[in-house]
Amino acid sequence: MHEFELIERIIARLRDTACGDGVVLGPGDDAAVLEIPNGHQLVVSTDALVAGRHYPGGACADAIGYRSLAVATSDLAAMGATPAFATVSLTAEDLTANWAEHYASGLAAAARDFGIAIVGGNIARGPESVTVTVHGHTPRGQAIARSGGGPGDALFVTGCLGGAGLALADENLGEWSLIALKEDSPVRRYWMPQPRLGLGIGLRDFATAAIDISDGLSSDLDHLCRASGVGCEVDLDALPLYPGATALDALASGDDYELAFAAPPDAQGVIETLARQHRVPITRIATLRRDPRPGVAWTRNGMPVEVRPGYRHF
Amino acid sequence: MHEFELIERIIARLRDTACGDGVVLGPGDDAAVLEIPNGHQLVVSTDALVAGRHYPGGACADAIGYRSLAVATSDLAAMGATPAFATVSLTAEDLTANWAEHYASGLAAAARDFGIAIVGGNIARGPESVTVTVHGHTPRGQAIARSGGGPGDALFVTGCLGGAGLALADENLGEWSLIALKEDSPVRRYWMPQPRLGLGIGLRDFATAAIDISDGLSSDLDHLCRASGVGCEVDLDALPLYPGATALDALASGDDYELAFAAPPDAQGVIETLARQHRVPITRIATLRRDPRPGVAWTRNGMPVEVRPGYRHF
């Protein structure tokens, strides 16, 4: 099928998710034209998924569509940003109309769930991969960086860890389409991660640092600590785990897209309120401390533990 | 080399191009935080280049870096947008520090030439490709869409066509690094296209429609005419050609990244002034007309001519 017909099919399938608040000009021109609310700053992140590496080759197109937008949007949650727009670049060797429409359906489902408009993109022939750039906004100066954590801040993680990672053991992981993913399960967590958007927005007012857990807690917590110039000691038994996941599994697996964040100790009450409001368990796992060599020390029963690093792209 | 070290090397090489006006938080966090001037709209476009398809496999990394930003930025020129920021997603099977630094150098050279800050990105292992998302802005309501052309408007193209296309015949095209591309030549036009940014901004005030010529004039002019719901007749002998290029070559080859635009006939004087100001030849090639079947009719000496379509991605 001709490129321009494919694009028309994709846009048709996106329907209401290709327009919305702030979209002055959506897909189909040289560029999209967008409005950011007055007094707000733009928050932008880009993420790529490569077939056979970041998801099983031959996976269902709608699942790829959903997951590709979800993992990119998780970075907006980590910044406390309100999600707004995304552009999507898709390469595939043989892009059929059927595949493209399924992909667009999954993308549209995620766009609706997260309140994002798909405003543009690109398709090209090449080895299958998807690159998504997401745009959100925060009131000026309120984005949460990784670098603001200080000694004495409490360190929290949302939800539970290791669930999505269990899905990697499922040899049929690539055969699930969205419609089959009805109940909470590792494969659902893998294909339909739910970025902590509402919670992230709620954290703007008092979190000092935040990061999304995409490479595994061991790597991502290290990033937060190093960027903030602090250390911390985390007991493996303090981690909230998905049923059936071990702490070591959970540390090394990304794909959960939960948040880790720091906040002053007196914020405990507000955090409990946020947790109830957004129906997200929030677990305090450590306290940040001065450390000449910033990073995380993992322990169990007070004894040091060696942990595998998280996912490494190279 | 470890992913995070690679990212640090890339950021180090970007230097001043990773910050600048409007960059509140640049590369290295979950997302970038950016400011758009008050009263302005955001203009966003994304473009992907796949090794072995959109450029020769094994090409010099700095040339890939320059070209990847240039071709994406050309879409901002077509909208009349002031360029501001870009994110870059790079996948490669074996990304060495040397390759990444050369790539970043080429990217930085283009970023300086076009006034763009590289504010974030992603690296991943996979078949080599580069996806760039560019961000610019225009005063509210002043972006130039493809769809505003009307009957009676004159149709123009900038520069000359077919130059970059000639480079595809050079069997050493993949061996050029930026430093070797000193004089105007087809290979320089191919690796270092110069988006018509200043001119595009100048066109905001009076162009009714614009598009960048990236797939070849025959396809791109057709897009503009269909989006505007008009037709036009273009004589092949009216096209401005790069020395050595034929009209049919020029029509079917993209890679020139010139602009085609429509403007009311009384704008001729302003356009001549803009052409002098920006040292860009601007050639009037047709007049838009009412047409029940919008599109372009190609002629030579008044006789219809069949032209090859431009580059098709599928």
Side-chain angles (χ1 to χ4, degrees):
Chain A
M1 174 169 281
H2 190 288
E3 175 194 4
F4 307 116
E5 282 177 81
L6 275 173
I7 292 174
E8 276 169 28
R9 295 278 193 108
I10 291 172
I11 294 174
R13 196 54 73 101
L14 292 174
R15 291 188 303 179
D16 54 299
T17 61
C19 52
D21 277 2
V23 183
V24 181
L25 183 64
D29 213 296
D30 287 297
V33 181
L34 309 165
E35 287 265 9
I36 298 296
N38 258 342
H40 281 58
Q41 289 171 327
L42 179 68
V43 179
V44 178
S45 179
T46 197
D47 243 324
L49 298 182
V50 179
R53 180 157 295 272
H54 300 111
Y55 62 85
C60 288
D62 63 343
I64 300 169
Y66 196 102
R67 186 164 188 265
S68 63
L69 188 59
V71 305
T73 302
S74 177
D75 285 315
L76 296 181
M79 303 299 287
T82 304
F85 320 114
T87 59
V88 178
S89 176
L90 177 64
T91 60
E93 289 296 0
D94 297 295
L95 194 53
T96 63
N98 187 47
W99 199 96
E101 289 185 346
H102 271 86
Y103 176 80
S105 298
L107 201 57
R112 266 179 223 113
D113 284 351
F114 311 146
I116 286 184
I118 310 296
V119 296
N122 191 71
I123 59 173
R125 195 186 290 275
E128 187 182 308
S129 72
V130 183
T131 305
V132 175
T133 305
V134 287
H135 301 76
H137 44 72
T138 66
R140 182 166 292 126
Q142 288 197 30
I144 311 166
R146 298 177 177 179
S147 55
D153 283 356
L155 189 66
F156 300 86
V157 296
T158 65
C160 61
L161 304 174
L166 293 178
L168 296 171
D170 179 342
E171 60 189 23
N172 301 317
L173 180 58
E175 287 163 30
W176 293 87
S177 78
L178 292 185
I179 197 91
L181 298 168
K182 280 191 183 143
E183 302 293 330
D184 184 11
S185 61
V187 286
R188 188 185 171 98
R189 283 177 177 244
Y190 179 86
W191 285 118
M192 300 180 72
Q194 299 296 306
R196 299 295 187 189
L197 291 163
L199 185 71
I201 292 167
L203 290 175
R204 272 180 201 160
D205 292 333
F206 56 87
T208 53
I211 191 169
D212 75 322
I213 305 170
S214 55
D215 290 334
L217 188 66
S218 62
S219 290
D220 294 318
L221 218 48
D222 230 42
H223 292 320
L224 186 150
C225 286
R226 289 180 191 201
S228 292
V230 295
C232 68
E233 184 181 307
V234 184
D235 191 293
L236 293 186
D237 292 327
L239 299 180
L241 298 177
Y242 187 82
T246 69
L248 290 178
D249 285 347
L251 285 184
S253 90
D255 298 325
D256 284 309
Y257 297 97
E258 296 291 349
L259 300 182
F261 66 93
D266 62 7
Q268 184 78 36
V270 198
I271 288 169
E272 283 166 17
T273 306
L274 274 178
R276 277 195 304 275
Q277 199 180 344
H278 295 283
R279 299 168 189 229
V280 186
I282 299 181
T283 307
R284 179 172 175 165
I285 59 167
T287 302
L288 301 184
R289 63 188 183 190
R290 274 176 227 290
D291 197 323
R293 293 184 59 192
V296 185
W298 298 96
T299 62
R300 178 163 255 162
N301 300 324
M303 299 296 291
V305 178
E306 274 297 311
V307 308
R308 281 175 288 163
Y311 184 78
R312 292 186 168 194
H313 301 269
F314 284 92
Chain B
M1 171 166 283
H2 191 288
E3 175 194 4
F4 307 116
E5 282 177 80
L6 275 173
I7 292 173
E8 277 169 28
R9 296 278 194 109
I10 291 172
I11 294 174
R13 196 54 73 101
L14 292 174
R15 290 190 299 182
D16 55 299
T17 62
C19 51
D21 278 2
V23 183
V24 181
L25 184 64
D29 213 296
D30 287 297
V33 181
L34 309 165
E35 287 264 9
I36 299 296
N38 258 342
H40 281 59
Q41 288 171 327
L42 179 68
V43 179
V44 178
S45 179
T46 197
D47 243 324
L49 299 182
V50 179
R53 179 157 297 271
H54 301 112
Y55 62 86
C60 288
D62 63 342
I64 299 168
Y66 196 102
R67 186 163 187 265
S68 63
L69 187 60
V71 304
T73 302
S74 177
D75 284 315
L76 296 181
M79 303 299 287
T82 304
F85 320 113
T87 59
V88 179
S89 175
L90 177 63
T91 61
E93 290 296 359
D94 297 296
L95 194 52
T96 63
N98 187 47
W99 199 96
E101 289 185 346
H102 271 86
Y103 175 78
S105 298
L107 202 57
R112 266 178 221 112
D113 284 353
F114 311 147
I116 286 184
I118 310 296
V119 296
N122 191 72
I123 60 173
R125 194 187 291 277
E128 187 182 307
S129 72
V130 183
T131 305
V132 176
T133 305
V134 287
H135 301 76
H137 45 71
T138 66
R140 181 165 291 125
Q142 288 197 31
I144 312 165
R146 297 177 178 179
S147 55
D153 283 355
L155 189 67
F156 300 85
V157 296
T158 65
C160 62
L161 304 174
L166 292 177
L168 296 171
D170 180 343
E171 60 189 26
N172 300 316
L173 180 58
E175 288 164 30
W176 292 87
S177 79
L178 291 185
I179 196 94
L181 298 168
K182 282 194 181 139
E183 302 291 331
D184 184 13
S185 61
V187 286
R188 187 183 171 99
R189 284 178 176 243
Y190 180 85
W191 284 117
M192 301 179 69
Q194 299 297 306
R196 298 298 187 188
L197 291 163
L199 186 72
I201 292 167
L203 290 175
R204 273 179 201 161
D205 293 332
F206 56 87
T208 52
I211 191 169
D212 76 320
I213 305 169
S214 55
D215 290 332
L217 188 66
S218 61
S219 289
D220 293 318
L221 217 48
D222 231 41
H223 292 318
L224 186 148
C225 285
R226 289 179 190 200
S228 293
V230 296
C232 69
E233 184 182 307
V234 185
D235 191 296
L236 293 186
D237 292 327
L239 300 180
L241 298 177
Y242 186 82
T246 69
L248 290 178
D249 285 346
L251 285 185
S253 91
D255 299 323
D256 284 310
Y257 296 96
E258 296 291 350
L259 300 182
F261 66 92
D266 61 9
Q268 184 77 36
V270 198
I271 288 168
E272 283 165 17
T273 306
L274 274 178
R276 275 195 304 277
Q277 200 178 341
H278 295 281
R279 299 168 190 229
V280 186
I282 298 181
T283 308
R284 179 171 176 165
I285 60 166
T287 302
L288 301 184
R289 62 188 185 190
R290 274 176 226 290
D291 196 324
R293 294 186 57 192
V296 185
W298 298 96
T299 61
R300 179 162 254 162
N301 300 324
M303 299 296 290
V305 178
E306 274 298 312
V307 306
R308 281 175 288 162
Y311 184 78
R312 291 185 169 195
H313 300 268
F314 284 91

